[in-house]
Amino acid sequence: MNTAPDLAMSTAIAATDQTKAAAAPRIKLLSHGFSIDHPDPEIGEQLMANALGAADRESMDGILRQLVRASVSGGSPDEVNVSFMISMVKSIRPRDSVEAMLVAQMVSVHVMAMRCAHHLANAEDLARHDSAARALGRLTRTFPTQIEALNRYRSHGEPAITVQNVSVGDGGKAIVGNVTQHASVIVSDKRPASAARKARKAAGSKRGTDSADARREAEA
């Protein structure tokens, strides 16, 4: 007896396989360093490079070593921390070497900030409390600065422009509020409007002069 294939099941299996293939492999810490935990070393390196936004094997290896060192907890690298950091880098999706370095710094700063928060919560004396609080404050101020730098780099350095006052002509429409965008902005020239006001004023003055002349002629 022939049965029709379950298309929904096939699609689900295919999607699961694609997810596994695209997922970044884990790092296995060794006594002499670390290795990429994947059954196929070549595919594992390619997946890791894609996750980190690394252009080649050397840059991937360098960023991985830096992340491993930044993951240190209790005097030795922490495998769970490394996996978390790689996952966060992958989720931000660095697109080139500059973004790869910046995102690695962002993730490292976050991990250090959380470590300082832990020290602050468990400080046993005032000196340790103040030290952890100062370090946490500096790190939490650094993180949004890094986010801003990444956004600015991704927008090719175009400054944000805020438009607050907008003149609207007859039949036009206006947006009430501030409008901010990272793009080229066309700035309207206010001189034509000024010229129009002057023209209307001159026309009104001329009409007043004509009326006065007409009254004088009538009286004569």
Side-chain angles (χ1 to χ4, degrees):
M1 178 179 179
N2 295 329
T3 58
D6 189 340
L7 297 180
M9 179 64 71
S10 301
T11 303
I13 293 174
T16 302
D17 291 341
Q18 291 175 1
T19 301
K20 289 181 178 179
R26 297 178 67 88
I27 290 295
K28 182 183 294 184
L29 297 178
L30 308 173
S31 58
H32 58 278
F34 62 88
S35 65
I36 298 175
D37 188 10
H38 194 277
D40 188 322
E42 186 175 348
I43 294 178
E45 288 186 358
Q46 184 60 53
L47 291 174
M48 185 62 72
N50 292 340
L52 299 177
D56 49 44
R57 183 176 183 179
E58 286 73 19
S59 59
M60 177 203 70
D61 186 68
I63 292 176
L64 273 180
R65 289 183 184 278
Q66 292 166 352
L67 291 177
V68 168
R69 291 170 183 168
S71 73
V72 171
S73 178
S76 59
D78 187 285
E79 197 166 293
V80 175
N81 269 349
V82 175
S83 297
F84 165 76
M85 296 167 81
I86 292 173
S87 176
M88 289 297 99
V89 171
K90 182 177 184 295
S91 67
I92 300 175
R93 298 180 181 177
R95 301 176 299 186
D96 56 31
S97 297
V98 173
E99 290 191 9
M101 291 186 289
L102 182 54
V103 172
Q105 293 175 27
M106 293 169 61
V107 173
S108 300
V109 165
H110 169 75
V111 170
M112 288 186 286
M114 293 299 98
R115 191 176 300 148
C116 288
H118 171 73
H119 293 328
L120 179 61
N122 294 276
E124 297 179 354
D125 53 60
L126 184 60
R128 293 181 181 179
H129 180 279
D130 290 346
S131 176
R134 286 194 299 270
L136 179 60
R138 288 194 295 268
L139 291 168
T140 53
R141 287 192 297 271
T142 299
F143 190 74
T145 302
Q146 292 173 320
I147 295 176
E148 182 181 353
L150 179 61
N151 288 335
R152 190 164 56 246
Y153 179 79
R154 284 183 169 177
S155 63
H156 306 291
E158 294 179 356
I161 299 176
T162 302
V163 180
Q164 293 179 323
N165 299 317
V166 181
S167 298
V168 182
D170 294 339
K173 296 181 180 180
I175 300 174
V176 179
N178 295 338
V179 179
T180 302
Q181 63 180 21
H182 290 274
S184 300
V185 176
I186 300 175
V187 181
S188 62
D189 190 351
K190 295 183 178 180
R191 286 176 295 179
S194 178
R197 287 195 297 270
K198 290 180 180 179
R200 288 195 297 269
K201 184 176 180 181
S205 177
K206 186 176 184 302
R207 286 196 297 270
T209 303
D210 292 342
S211 298
D213 292 342
R215 285 197 300 272
R216 284 196 295 271
E217 290 177 359
E219 291 174 356

